[in-house]
Amino acid sequence: MIARDRLRSTLRRRRAALSAAERQLAAQRVARHLVKTPWFRAAQRIAGYHAVGGELDAGPALLAALAAGKQVYLPVLAPDGRLWFQRWHPRMPMRRNRFGIPEPAAHPRHRLEARALDLVLTPLVGFDRAGNRLGMGGGFYDRTFAYQRLHRRWRRPPLIGLAYDFQEVNILASEPWDVPLAGIVLPAGARRLETGAAGLP
Ligand SMILES: Nc1nc2c(c(=O)[nH]1)N(C=O)[C@@H](CNc1ccc(C(=O)N[C@@H](CCC(=O)O)C(=O)O)cc1)CN2
Ligand SMILES: Nc1ncnc2c1ncn2[C@@H]1O[C@H](COP(=O)(O)OP(=O)(O)OP(=O)(O)O)[C@@H](O)[C@H]1O
């Protein structure tokens, strides 16, 4: 746990040190790679996130999704500690959640549950080649997609991380509740991750 916390703060500091120009360039490269992937092409309903704290900006990718005629969703916190996904358009009124992260302020009937999505782009602090993901420590994505751990056929929608190249770490100890990433999109390119996933049959 201590190692995990230290790694988190080291990676977050590194992320925070990037210039605005570096951030924009990386986010545009990630969007360019993403739109060429089968994950993106096959998806109609795509969830992203509103970047905070130096996370790779999903904005260009989400705008590309809208331009391609897809529906875009952002996470909203549910009282049970899971995420729901609210339809999003640019210029939609937003409301900050308890962590200060903007969420679409639209009516809850426009929300989808996780398994109704076709593709989920996740923020992350770090990841490894096995698809282990280090997040902000709230466990929200793990709780929301916990059903994917039960059966191979239930590993949908694919969880795809968006990150800077330096966020790849050698080996992240996987926790029993971790839900692995199916792939990653970096400024250097997109790739599948080896989901040898502990705990899966
Ligand atoms: N952009 C973005 N949106 C997201 C997430 C995310 O990681 N990034 N989440 C992914 O799960 C959910 C929110 N999870 C979060 C978990 C912890 C903290 C956080 O600020 N933690 C503090 C310390 C703990 C606290 O304040 O209680 C910190 O990091 O300093 C924020 C969001 C949903 N939306
Ligand atoms: N399926 C689950 N059921 C109950 N609690 C869970 C589940 N998954 C994760 N948690 C809780 O969430 C906490 C944080 O987990 P972890 O450090 O892996 O978060 P994270 O993946 O970094 O965060 P996030 O998904 O919010 O970005 C854990 O201490 C664990 O108790």
Side-chain angles (χ1 to χ4, degrees), residues 12 49-52 55 75 77 83 99 101 123 136 138 140-141:
R12 290 184 63 161
Y49 56 90
H50 185 109
V52 296
E55 290 169 338
L77 302 176
L83 302 171
F99 298 111
I101 303 174
M136 301 256 250
F140 291 97
Y141 282 94

Side-chain angles (χ1 to χ4, degrees), residues 4 8 133-143 146 177-178:
R4 220 170 151 88
R8 210 177 250 129
R133 170 181 173 277
L134 181 67
M136 301 256 250
F140 291 97
Y141 282 94
D142 292 331
R143 274 191 296 274
W177 56 79
D178 283 341

Side-chain angles (χ1 to χ4, degrees), residues 32-178:
R32 270 213 323 270
H33 293 303
L34 174 72
V35 298
K36 294 186 209 142
T37 63
W39 299 310
F40 181 88
R41 290 169 186 267
Q44 189 54 39
R45 295 163 161 182
I46 300 181
Y49 56 90
H50 185 109
V52 296
E55 290 169 338
L56 191 290
D57 182 6
L62 300 183
L63 294 177
L66 291 174
K70 301 175 190 291
Q71 297 170 9
V72 171
Y73 294 80
L74 291 181
V76 295
L77 302 176
D80 65 358
R82 286 185 302 168
L83 302 171
W84 283 72
F85 294 88
Q86 179 89 45
R87 186 87 183 265
W88 173 81
H89 302 284
R91 297 182 304 279
M92 188 174 258
M94 305 287 276
R95 185 169 46 215
R96 287 180 188 273
N97 65 24
R98 64 188 154 93
F99 298 111
I101 303 174
E103 297 180 348
H107 193 277
R109 76 167 163 272
H110 299 298
R111 298 193 307 192
L112 288 183
E113 64 175 323
R115 60 190 92 199
L117 296 163
D118 302 317
L119 173 63
V120 178
L121 305 174
T122 78
L124 56 85
V125 176
F127 72 97
D128 70 12
R129 54 190 269 188
N132 294 307
R133 170 181 173 277
L134 181 67
M136 301 256 250
F140 291 97
Y141 282 94
D142 292 331
R143 274 191 296 274
T144 304
F145 294 96
Y147 68 88
Q148 293 195 3
R149 297 168 38 77
L150 301 176
H151 205 290
R152 249 168 224 283
R153 282 208 310 271
W154 296 352
R155 282 203 230 158
R156 300 200 46 79
L159 304 185
I160 305 298
L162 303 186
Y164 295 100
D165 305 283
F166 64 78
Q167 289 178 276
E168 178 161 8
V169 302
N170 203 1
I171 295 175
L172 275 177
S174 82
E175 306 283 356
W177 56 79
D178 283 341

